[in-house]
Amino acid sequence: MFSEERAWRILWIKKALQDNSLTYYAGWDSSKKRYDHTRRVTLVTPDGYVVVIRITNNETKHASFVTAYLIDDPKVEKKIKASPIWNL
C-alpha cells in the first residue's frame, strides 16, 4: 500500500547520500560486535530519521542502500552519536 508519509522521506534519503554537511557515523556490525566503516549511518533530520548505506566500492563511490527509519527510542540516537565518525 502506498504511504504518502514514507514517500516524503525519499527526499531525506537523497539528502543523506548527497549532503556533505551532515555528520556520518560508522555502522555497527552486530555479528562481529564492532564498528564497520563500510557501513555509513546518517542522522538526517532533527526528529531522528536515520539512513544506513553500505559502501560496496570506495574507489568508484558505489554504495547500496541498507535501511532508513525513524528513531523510536532516545537510547538509539545516543548510541549512534557515540559511534566513531565514518572515515572511509
Side-chain angles (χ1 to χ4, degrees), residues 2-44:
F2 178 78
S3 167
E4 189 171 326
E5 182 180 348
R6 291 188 77 185
W8 280 105
R9 294 180 187 152
I10 298 241
L11 298 175
W12 295 347
I13 294 169
K14 179 181 178 182
K15 180 177 177 70
L17 297 175
Q18 297 178 335
D19 189 344
N20 289 330
S21 70
L22 296 172
T23 302
Y24 301 127
Y25 300 95
W28 178 255
D29 185 335
S30 59
S31 65
K32 296 178 181 175
K33 306 286 189 228
R34 63 181 172 104
Y35 290 100
D36 180 352
H37 285 268
T38 65
R39 297 177 188 196
R40 189 179 84 182
V41 179
T42 311
L43 292 167
V44 180

Side-chain angles (χ1 to χ4, degrees), residues 5 8 12 40 42 54 57 61 68-70 74 76 79 84:
E5 182 180 348
W8 280 105
W12 295 347
R40 189 179 84 182
T42 311
R54 179 173 290 122
N57 187 322
K61 306 290 186 203
Y69 59 91
L70 278 170
V76 173
K79 284 182 181 180

Side-chain angles (χ1 to χ4, degrees), residues 63-74:
S64 58
F65 175 79
V66 176
T67 190
Y69 59 91
L70 278 170
I71 295 173
D72 59 358
D73 182 348

